[in-house]
Amino acid sequence: MSYTGDVTRGGRPAERELTGLTVRKVSVGPMDNNAYLLTCRADGTQVLIDAANDADTLLELIGPAGLTAVVTTHRHPDHTGALQQVIKATGAESIAGADDAEAIPVVTRTVRDGDTIAVGDCTLEVIHVVGHTPGSIVLLYREPDGITHLWTGDSLFPGGVGNTRGDKKNFASLIGDVETKLFNRLGDDTWFYPGHGKDSTLGNERPHLPEWRERGW
């Protein structure tokens, strides 16, 4: 079955084979958060993006291969609900953006814009985007001889940027960072995986950037 990115809480993971990485996506918790398990195809190293909820589901997904790290995209509690349980069960490193770290239950390493996170012999680049929270991060993976992939947390969704709760300064910051650091830098075939809901591509969303700016959310 081809990958669609569609998942439901309690349902089967959506699985996608990339050059270098296997991506498994599940929906967890009452807010239908997406969690993503990245597995290096060369050596089996695994990194989880957002231990959001339903620790048993995540630990079953991780399986006996274990876990090297959990990367938390931002500090909101619906993205960290299972973090302590997963870290305790696996002994994994807990990584988060430096400007959100104090509000996350357990962090053992902080990252900033341009830092990298290894998944076996694959590399994720950290992109810091400010607005949904001060320390939100997006993770970028360039597939060798393929397309670019982004895990955007709650900073970018199909249909708009993340919620800035009516704060005009935060919205201006977020739309600016998303446009400059993502859309202006990366091609239309770039696939992104958000913190809730369905995936999309930058090409699908790019025509709507002026509309997002105009409406202010």
Side-chain angles (χ1 to χ4, degrees):
M1 183 181 296
S2 61
Y3 175 86
T4 64
D6 295 338
V7 290
T8 58
R9 187 181 186 188
R12 293 177 58 83
E15 183 171 323
R16 186 177 194 183
E17 296 287 354
L18 310 182
T19 303
L21 284 177
T22 299
V23 180
R24 295 180 180 87
K25 174 183 181 180
V26 293
S27 174
V28 294
M31 296 184 69
D32 287 325
N33 288 72
N34 295 327
Y36 300 92
L37 183 69
L38 309 185
T39 305
C40 174
R41 297 180 67 182
D43 67 6
T45 298
Q46 299 195 126
V47 169
L48 182 70
I49 299 174
D50 284 347
N53 211 305
D54 299 346
D56 290 344
T57 296
L58 298 179
L59 292 171
E60 182 180 358
L61 181 70
I62 293 161
L67 194 67
T68 299
V70 179
V71 184
T72 301
T73 59
H74 64 288
R75 67 188 186 186
H76 288 156
D78 62 306
H79 289 259
T80 64
L83 180 60
Q84 288 178 299
Q85 291 170 275
V86 170
I87 294 298
K88 182 177 180 180
T90 62
E93 185 177 26
S94 179
I95 303 172
D99 294 331
D100 271 8
E102 287 187 359
I104 293 172
V106 54
V107 175
T108 58
R109 174 187 166 195
T110 60
V111 289
R112 297 185 180 275
D113 197 59
D115 287 346
T116 59
I117 298 168
V119 187
D121 63 4
C122 300
T123 301
L124 306 178
E125 178 188 334
V126 175
I127 302 173
H128 181 203
V129 289
V130 180
H132 184 64
T133 66
S136 289
I137 56 174
V138 172
L139 303 171
L140 179 153
Y141 175 63
R142 294 187 183 275
E143 192 175 1
D145 301 319
I147 66 173
T148 301
H149 301 260
L150 297 171
W151 287 268
T152 58
D154 285 2
S155 291
L156 176 64
F157 295 98
V161 296
N163 188 358
T164 54
R165 292 165 179 78
D167 187 306
K168 292 182 178 180
K169 182 178 179 181
N170 284 343
F171 173 75
S173 175
L174 183 55
I175 193 74
D177 277 358
V178 164
E179 190 164 6
T180 301
K181 295 184 176 184
L182 305 183
F183 284 93
N184 289 357
R185 178 183 171 194
L186 303 169
D188 283 350
D189 59 357
T190 299
W191 191 281
F192 70 88
Y193 309 81
H196 306 262
K198 296 184 177 183
D199 307 352
S200 188
T201 65
L202 294 189
N204 285 340
E205 308 305 319
R206 191 184 303 276
H208 304 291
L209 281 167
E211 170 193 336
W212 300 352
R213 280 192 172 275
E214 178 65 24
R215 75 188 184 194
W217 55 273

